[in-house]
């Protein structure tokens, strides 16, 4: 939400969302007096932040596939232009990349930039050029992180022909590498480059020779609202094959060792970490964090049952519907993968009972399973 200096126009981002405050979509300009809504020309991407620069210009940040762009929309000319763009080098932010306007020039802003192997650095973008203000992190951390590997965007084609992208971080040396697939939450969200110096997990994994694969399947942000809507009513449906075909492509390219692939993720990523091992036996290990295992009990014990109903596009009372068909516990008989289930005892969104159900289902079938519950965690 952003209000023009005159107070006459409110700019909002309208989007398909699965989480509060994780909003990436299309710009809408609302005339306060009349209620008239103006829809500026859509980008091939999703706007994530808006700042008025006077009454006729909007500074915006948008996710566009593997890229992040900062642009300026001119309301009178009804057109926008890109003033900064980055790929692996991207603005930092809480949920999405963020900038802060500075000075009187509408196209000037302050932002922090980072990449997988570049620590967050504060820049002023003024007069079309970057000026470094402060580099964060430390030389010691930098010296530890830089030799750990390299990162790049990885593209592949899903079985239905849809192009999917993700981020691939590989340790030094030739593949195939043991690989950990990290599944983002949401499902409407995305993975973007974040400095590895802030992640003990990433540092340990790369130092031990593991590659990290962070896919952005259908339903992810940054590819427009039609792409995000693909997962609506189809959680654990076609996106399943986005993950698996991505692994197929990595195996075919000689990057991933097919016998040493693990999967992990939190929230929706925890659900997928459960779901994939019921659909495919290639995984050597799964670590679902704050997972969903049973959509029926999830609906009746979580604090967001409307999410379940909306994103499954079904009714919990339908005995042949998606609440049952897309629940990992109902397919546990197919699992052969050792699993570490992690949850927080105070979690109201993905209650700890979900991890307990999947753990007991696997134990009852003789599959190796460990349940780790943090007693004071949400």
């Amino acid at each position: 939400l952003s209000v023009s200096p005159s107070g006459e126009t409110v700019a909002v981002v309208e989007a398909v969302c699965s989480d509060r405050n994780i909003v990436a979509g299309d710009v809408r300009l609302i005339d306060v007096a009349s209620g008239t809504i103006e829809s500026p020309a859509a980008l091939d991407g999703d706007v994530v932040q808006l700042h008025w620069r006077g009454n006729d210009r909007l500074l915006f940040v948008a996710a566009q596939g593997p890229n992040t762009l900062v642009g300026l929309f001119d309301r009178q000319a009804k057109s926008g232009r890109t003033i900064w763009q980055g790929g692996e080098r991207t603005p930092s932010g809480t949920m999405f990349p963020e900038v802060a306007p500075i000075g009187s020039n509408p196209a000037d802003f302050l932002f922090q930039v980072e990449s997988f192997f570049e620590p967050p650095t504060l820049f002023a973008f003024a007069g079309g050029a970057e000026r470094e203000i402060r580099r964060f992190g430390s030389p010691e951390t930098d010296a530890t992180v830089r030799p750990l590997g390299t990162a790049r965007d990885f593209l592949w084609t899903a079985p239905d022909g849809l192009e999917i992208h993700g981020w691939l971080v590989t340790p030094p040396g030739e593949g195939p590498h043991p690989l950990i697939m990290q599944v983002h939450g949401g499902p409407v969200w995305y993975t973007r480059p974040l400095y590895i110096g802030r992640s003990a997990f990433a540092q340990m994994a790369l130092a031990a020779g593991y590659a990290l694969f962070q896919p952005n399947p259908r339903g992810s942000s940054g590819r427009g609202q039609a792409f995000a809507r693909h997962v609506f009513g189809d959680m654990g449906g076609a996106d399943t094959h986005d993950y698996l075909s991505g692994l197929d492509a990595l195996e075919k390219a000689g990057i991933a060792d097919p016998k040493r692939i693990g999967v992990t993720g939190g929230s929706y990523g925890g659900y997928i970490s459960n779901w994939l091992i019921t659909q495919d036996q290639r995984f050597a290990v799964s670590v679902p964090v704050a997972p969903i295992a049973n959509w029926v009990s999830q609906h009746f014990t979580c604090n967001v049952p409307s999410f379940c109903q909306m994103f499954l596009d079904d009714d919990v009372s339908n005995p042949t519907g998606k609440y049952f068909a897309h629940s990992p516990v109902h397919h546990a008989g197919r699992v052969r993968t050792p699993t570490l289930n992690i949850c927080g005892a105070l979690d109201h969104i993905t209650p700890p009972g979900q991890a307990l159900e999947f753990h007991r289902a696997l134990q009852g079938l003789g599959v190796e399973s460990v349940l780790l519950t943090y007693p004071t965690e949400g």
Side-chain angles (χ1 to χ4, degrees):
L1 177 71
S2 185
V3 183
S4 65
S6 68
E8 295 175 354
T9 309
V10 175
V12 298
V13 176
E14 181 180 75
V16 179
C17 302
S18 56
D19 295 73
R20 292 181 292 259
N21 299 324
I22 302 183
V23 182
D26 299 327
V27 179
R28 301 287 183 255
L29 303 178
I30 305 168
D31 182 86
V32 173
S34 67
T36 302
I37 299 173
E38 184 182 339
S39 301
L43 294 161
D44 183 22
D46 293 304
V47 173
V48 298
Q49 191 186 32
L50 295 167
H51 295 284
W52 283 101
R53 301 293 271 154
N55 289 310
D56 293 316
R57 290 186 177 91
L58 268 174
L59 184 70
F60 65 87
V61 183
Q64 192 177 57
N67 299 316
T68 300
L69 60 87
V70 182
L72 194 65
F73 175 75
D74 188 313
R75 190 176 183 183
Q76 297 301 321
K78 297 186 182 299
S79 64
R81 61 185 176 92
T82 300
I83 53 181
W84 185 93
Q85 182 169 322
E88 187 201 335
R89 186 171 177 268
T90 186
S92 307
T94 306
M95 293 297 180
F96 290 107
E98 299 171 7
V99 304
I102 55 171
S104 58
N105 183 354
D108 292 353
F109 55 90
L110 194 69
F111 66 155
Q112 184 173 275
V113 175
E114 63 186 294
S115 72
F116 287 106
F117 294 99
E118 177 186 346
T121 302
L122 187 65
F123 288 94
F125 185 86
E130 293 179 14
R131 176 172 56 86
E132 183 175 322
I133 297 173
R134 173 70 184 269
R135 186 179 177 89
F136 298 102
S138 70
E140 293 80 9
T141 303
D142 239 5
T144 300
V145 167
R146 287 192 179 278
L148 289 177
T150 56
R152 65 182 173 95
D153 183 39
F154 184 78
L155 298 174
W156 70 98
T157 303
D160 63 357
L162 194 62
E163 185 179 80
I164 310 293
H165 90 86
W167 293 101
L168 177 65
V169 187
T170 51
E174 295 295 318
H177 306 283
L179 180 137
I180 301 165
M181 179 165 68
Q182 298 173 286
V183 182
H184 68 67
V188 185
W189 197 23
Y190 77 149
T191 296
R192 71 182 194 274
L194 298 174
Y195 181 49
I196 284 169
R198 290 191 282 171
S199 171
F201 172 77
Q203 291 178 57
M204 289 189 291
L206 289 166
Y210 288 87
L212 302 174
F213 176 44
Q214 302 173 347
N216 283 316
R218 70 193 68 205
S220 298
S221 303
R223 298 279 299 276
Q225 293 302 281
F227 189 85
R229 200 173 285 277
H230 275 301
V231 78
F232 185 88
D234 195 39
M235 295 189 296
D239 63 339
T240 300
H241 306 290
D242 295 344
Y243 299 110
L244 297 178
S245 61
L247 293 174
D248 289 341
L250 289 167
E251 291 174 23
K252 186 176 180 180
I255 296 168
D257 180 348
K259 294 182 179 179
R260 300 184 68 193
I261 293 176
V263 60
T264 187
S267 193
Y268 188 75
Y271 164 67
I272 289 294
S273 299
N274 279 341
W275 179 250
L276 288 181
I277 62 175
T278 72
Q279 305 298 303
D280 194 289
Q281 273 69 52
R282 81 179 76 195
F283 297 97
V285 67
S286 177
V287 184
V289 182
I292 295 163
N294 183 344
W295 286 111
V296 177
S297 56
Q298 167 74 9
H299 180 103
F300 288 118
T301 59
C302 75
N303 65 355
V304 285
S306 57
F307 163 81
C308 306
Q309 191 167 20
M310 288 167 60
F311 271 78
L312 286 170
D313 193 23
D314 205 348
D315 193 274
V316 69
S317 64
N318 179 4
T320 60
K322 297 168 193 169
Y323 272 91
F324 293 85
H326 287 216
S327 290
V329 289
H330 294 151
H331 303 274
R334 302 175 185 171
V335 178
R336 304 290 180 269
T337 304
T339 302
L340 170 62
N341 303 272
I342 301 177
C343 63
L346 305 182
D347 191 340
H348 298 295
I349 297 178
T350 50
Q354 293 298 307
L356 176 63
E357 284 191 45
F358 201 61
H359 169 62
R360 288 195 171 161
L362 297 186
Q363 275 196 323
L365 293 162
V367 178
E368 185 181 358
S369 178
V370 173
L371 173 64
L372 174 59
T373 305
Y374 288 91
T376 61
E377 285 290 333

